[in-house]
Amino acid sequence: MNIVVCVKQVPAKDAPLAIPEGAAWIRETDIGFELNEPDGYALEEALRLKEKHGGEVVAVSMGPERSKQAIKEALAKGAERGVHISDDKFYELDPLGSARCLAAAIKREKFDLVLTGLQSDDHGFGQTGVLLAELLGLPHATIIMQIDAADGRLKLKRELEAGWFQWVELPLPAVLSIQSGINKPRYATLKGIMAAKKKEIATLTRAELGVTVSPTQRIERIYVPKKTKKTEILTGTAKEAAAKLVEKLKHEARVL
Amino acid sequence: MKILVVTEQRDGQWNRASFETLTAAQQAARATGASITAVVAGKSVGSLAKELAAYKVAEVLAIEHDLLEKYTPDGYTLALKQVITEARPDFIFFPHTYQVRDFAPKLAASLGRGMIADCVGLRYENGHLVFVRQMFQGKTAADVIFQGDAPWFASFQAGAFRGDQAETGGSAAPRNVNVDLKPEQIRTKPLELFREAKQAVDLTQAPIIVAIGRGIKEPTNIPLAEKLAQTIGGEIAASRPICDEGWLPMERQIGSSGQTVAPKLYLAIGISGAIQHVVGMKGSRTIVAINKDANAPIFEVADYGIVGDLFEIVPALTEELAKSK
């Protein structure tokens, strides 16, 4: 089974975010980046399916030069090849524009399955997988917690809300958005990291892919949201703050 | 201007987020002078359409088809595409449910249009609607506007608007719309719905909840929080990553994919406050957040906060509680 897995590099979880006034994206200097956590689950699922059914895993990522690191992580964990869509202004694209670029790159591959994470931890659009399915003309399913593949079909466990699940079936080729927690992602081994250095990463640009985008939406600005609730911050040593809290909960909030 | 509100039902039961979206649409309609068309789809939705007609909307459409009895992305996309082509709305509003996430972007793309998903607010400014959504796991907000031609698609996060504030007093008679669907157009086969075997813990009934997040670092640290829960007489719960790791069972997860709770006291310990968690607990009467990051979004919803090392604060709090008994 040949699998394309889409991976994105995002600011590290604990990165302090600086937003230039009126900007639509953060200042990228002096912060760390990491593989988008939900994509890590999609990558792991792709590797497991390949190990079970044979075939290859191709990791596709779009973004500036730094995002190659996400591809390298995938290669170190066991993906065969990488495709980097080089785009310094990726953050100006809307979800449909990003998906058009990814779809154009994926169309060049021979694949049975496309996997994405559920959403990115930066933009959090949560649309890429579903849009890829439409643009590639393929069936899809989202929020997947289990994949059973047999005879060119998939049986999938979808998560619904409030503790409900559903089984669905669909034919290959298909696109799936993977729910976080479906598996336990592996760590890259030293041997894997060394082997990755010899693996191919093809670089493509939007122009080479022949994609023209016309934005359907535009982020005017991003900002730290205004507090809707007045939070009383209790200060002092751990013991002092704890004592103040107990006092507040007893006599002010009256919940103890 | 016309706003189409796509409601959601399963087996004749409303997804209540539908009415929150109706409230959002009514707010947008008041600002822009738009009219609202509410739509409900399924196999047999006559009585639900009548319920919708009681709300202050200009029009109610009922889409009925055997192939819409069970949700499929192909069925819902094809049916709504036909309705949108006929009704020609400017905006299409959805509740941001798991089902909507599964098909609405596809529906928009099938018409060559885009969607602003998971909005938490809306305002009218300089002649256009500005949609507010969260980025970076709730650490920042973004003002987003549509570009290009209508129709424009948007979905609204659960809890962003109040369903009980949807205005009633409508007099529209529901109208049935026919859609053309063939079984061979539907590529996914929906099978049975089920819940995982045990739902032994009903966190919705707990008056006090002590919830832990990534900040707890290691499973061996969980007893710290458990001891606090025991002392304060609360149930232990967690954000999704903790349950994904298997450190606590899934049934103790609070958030969009877990349980939604509103206890009298909610202690969020080492929880940053990603949207997916906050939607499951923001209705709590009193919220306490303990986190090392003073900028963590959890403090947005907290009544009381302590910024610092939970490994010092939690034992101190447990001790103070024991003393005060």
Side-chain angles (χ1 to χ4, degrees):
Chain A
M1 189 182 298
N2 293 333
I3 304 167
V4 172
V5 58
C6 299
V7 294
K8 186 178 186 182
Q9 198 197 36
V10 298
K13 270 191 194 65
D14 55 358
L17 301 179
I19 308 163
E21 181 63 30
W25 187 242
I26 53 163
R27 187 177 293 129
E28 286 205 357
T29 44
D30 306 325
I31 59 166
F33 290 87
E34 62 190 17
L35 176 67
N36 180 46
E37 188 177 272
D39 299 345
Y41 291 102
L43 170 64
E44 178 63 32
E45 208 53 28
L47 296 172
R48 289 184 189 194
L49 286 168
K50 175 194 76 172
E51 283 155 6
K52 194 167 171 191
H53 302 281
E56 68 164 3
V57 171
V58 178
V60 179
S61 187
M62 180 166 67
E65 189 64 19
R66 61 164 170 79
S67 47
K68 266 192 186 164
Q69 192 52 42
I71 297 174
K72 286 179 186 162
E73 187 172 332
L75 298 179
K77 287 183 176 180
E80 272 68 24
R81 284 187 295 119
V83 176
H84 175 221
I85 306 170
S86 173
D87 198 331
D88 288 342
K89 300 235 163 144
F90 72 98
Y91 53 82
E92 289 178 354
L93 292 172
D94 64 354
L96 186 56
S98 302
R100 281 194 209 281
C101 296
L102 288 166
I106 292 168
K107 269 183 195 159
R108 297 173 160 220
E109 301 290 332
K110 283 199 179 72
F111 64 89
D112 303 292
L113 188 61
V114 178
L115 300 185
T116 71
L118 196 64
Q119 60 192 29
S120 60
D121 284 347
D122 54 1
H123 276 117
F125 290 134
Q127 300 188 27
T128 303
V130 177
L131 290 173
L132 285 177
E134 176 63 21
L135 296 172
L136 296 168
L138 299 177
H140 77 273
T142 59
I143 324 185
I144 301 304
M145 284 298 279
Q146 190 181 323
I147 302 174
D148 298 323
D151 309 320
R153 285 183 73 79
L154 299 176
K155 190 177 178 193
L156 306 160
K157 183 176 158 189
R158 281 193 69 211
E159 188 180 299
L160 307 179
E161 280 138 332
W164 284 90
F165 295 88
Q166 182 182 26
W167 289 107
V168 298
E169 278 182 14
L170 49 75
L172 289 170
V175 182
L176 304 179
S177 292
I178 303 300
Q179 172 66 303
S180 299
I182 183 176
N183 52 39
K184 252 187 123 51
R186 70 193 67 188
Y187 291 99
T189 59
L190 187 61
K191 200 176 144 205
I193 294 166
M194 295 311 287
K197 293 189 199 293
K198 295 200 189 80
K199 292 178 179 172
E200 177 207 337
I201 301 178
T203 298
L204 295 163
T205 62
R206 213 190 289 172
E208 283 168 336
L209 288 168
V211 180
T212 48
V213 292
S214 49
T216 61
Q217 59 191 265
R218 183 165 62 87
I219 297 175
E220 287 198 302
R221 63 182 191 111
I222 59 175
Y223 50 96
V224 175
K226 276 198 204 88
K227 273 193 192 304
T228 48
K229 209 164 173 179
K230 210 170 157 240
T231 308
E232 192 174 345
I233 299 289
L234 307 170
T235 54
T237 63
K239 190 176 158 54
E240 286 161 7
K244 282 184 200 168
L245 179 60
V246 172
E247 186 63 23
K248 295 276 180 193
L249 294 178
K250 269 191 157 166
H251 302 295
E252 197 173 89
R254 294 170 193 272
V255 287
L256 288 183
Chain B
M1 198 188 283
K2 191 198 272 190
I3 302 171
L4 188 76
V5 175
V6 179
T7 62
E8 184 171 316
Q9 61 90 23
R10 188 166 77 206
D11 298 331
Q13 299 290 317
W14 287 114
N15 186 319
R16 304 303 303 180
S18 303
F19 299 99
E20 298 173 7
T21 303
L22 195 55
T23 302
Q26 287 176 340
Q27 187 185 314
R30 273 194 298 275
T32 60
S35 72
I36 296 173
T37 297
V39 54
V40 55
K43 186 184 178 184
S44 168
V45 292
S47 61
L48 295 175
K50 271 197 202 114
E51 269 184 65
L52 276 182
Y55 287 86
K56 202 175 158 193
V57 294
E59 193 181 28
V60 175
L61 303 178
I63 313 174
E64 293 187 333
H65 198 290
D66 284 353
L67 291 171
L68 297 175
E69 181 178 17
K70 282 186 177 165
Y71 164 78
T72 59
D74 287 333
Y76 272 62
T77 299
L78 292 167
L80 282 162
K81 191 176 170 181
Q82 292 169 44
V83 172
I84 290 166
T85 307
E86 189 211 287
R88 302 178 59 84
D90 298 276
F91 290 95
I92 298 127
F93 284 6
F94 303 84
H96 191 69
T97 61
Y98 277 25
Q99 181 166 305
V100 164
R101 284 155 73 152
D102 194 62
F103 82 92
K106 172 184 166 72
L107 170 64
S110 76
L111 292 158
R113 297 297 187 269
M115 171 165 174
I116 303 178
D118 207 10
C119 299
V120 295
L122 180 71
R123 61 178 198 274
Y124 188 62
E125 211 175 75
N126 304 327
H128 55 240
L129 288 171
V130 178
F131 295 81
V132 183
R133 60 187 304 280
Q134 291 167 309
M135 277 175 49
F136 298 100
Q137 300 272 296
K139 280 185 231 158
T140 76
D143 288 349
V144 192
I145 55 169
F146 282 109
Q147 308 267 282
D149 297 330
W152 299 296
F153 294 73
S155 65
F156 294 89
Q157 190 176 104
F161 291 84
R162 288 196 34 193
D164 58 5
Q165 286 177 354
E167 269 187 78
T168 53
S171 55
R175 184 161 68 83
N176 273 64
V177 251
N178 291 319
V179 290
D180 181 29
L181 289 178
K182 293 180 186 67
E184 61 271 22
Q185 291 175 305
I186 293 169
R187 295 167 294 182
T188 49
K189 189 171 160 196
L191 304 171
E192 71 275 15
L193 268 67
F194 62 99
R195 300 186 93 143
E196 303 281 56
K198 56 172 192 294
Q199 275 283 331
V201 199
D202 185 4
L203 294 175
T204 61
Q205 299 303 313
I208 298 177
I209 291 176
V210 175
I212 52 171
R214 270 183 216 282
I216 201 81
K217 288 196 178 122
E218 298 289 338
T220 47
N221 295 328
I222 293 176
L224 271 183
E226 282 171 338
K227 194 161 173 221
L228 172 61
Q230 222 171 32
T231 310
I232 204 169
E235 286 283 351
I236 190 97
S239 63
R240 174 140 198 146
I242 300 299
C243 301
D244 280 349
E245 292 282 356
W247 296 355
L248 280 179
M250 278 290 178
E251 58 183 7
R252 292 203 177 259
Q253 189 206 142
I254 306 289
S256 52
S257 52
Q259 302 195 43
T260 300
V261 297
K264 67 175 185 182
L265 177 59
Y266 191 93
L267 291 112
I269 297 169
I271 290 177
S272 69
I275 318 152
Q276 296 86 345
H277 181 74
V278 171
V279 296
M281 50 64 81
K282 67 180 173 190
S284 307
R285 205 167 100 203
T286 299
I287 298 170
V288 174
I290 299 171
N291 204 295
K292 69 175 190 322
D293 177 7
N295 295 318
I298 192 71
F299 288 114
E300 313 265 328
V301 296
D303 299 279
Y304 301 105
I306 301 178
V307 179
D309 182 355
L310 73 87
F311 300 106
E312 287 176 19
I313 297 159
V314 171
L317 184 57
T318 307
E319 204 185 306
E320 289 298 325
L321 284 163
K323 249 196 324 199
S324 75
K325 268 187 179 168

